[in-house]
Amino acid sequence: MWKEINDELIENFEFKNFVEAWGFMNKVALLAEKANHHPTWSNVYNKVEIRLNTHDAGNTVTQKDRDLAKSIDGLS
């Protein structure tokens, strides 16, 4: 469940292993590139944290973030 904290949408994902986490990140990268809206994210072994906000809107959460979050949820 995405949480809105300090002008960011934040979600953490956990996978069986690093390869699954990396595969998920590849899928997210394709969605982000298509939307021309790129996340701030980190990966440690089987965990991926994604943070979304819109930089050109003053680093706030916009509909672009909500739309990308929904697309990302569709991958899970």
Side-chain angles (χ1 to χ4, degrees), residues 5-62:
I5 303 169
N6 297 327
D7 293 320
E8 292 181 305
L9 286 180
I10 302 169
E11 179 62 293
N12 293 286
F13 300 87
E14 189 169 337
F15 302 90
K16 286 192 331 188
N17 54 46
F18 178 74
V19 172
E20 284 191 11
W22 194 264
F24 170 76
M25 291 177 71
N26 282 329
K27 291 176 186 175
V28 171
L30 294 173
L31 289 175
E33 189 64 19
K34 183 176 180 182
N36 193 30
H37 193 55
H38 304 91
T40 300
W41 58 2
S42 64
N43 165 244
V44 177
Y45 182 58
N46 68 332
K47 295 178 176 77
V48 177
E49 179 183 77
I50 299 178
R51 294 173 174 262
L52 300 172
N53 67 14
T54 303
H55 305 294
D56 59 357
N59 293 317
T60 61
V61 175
T62 67

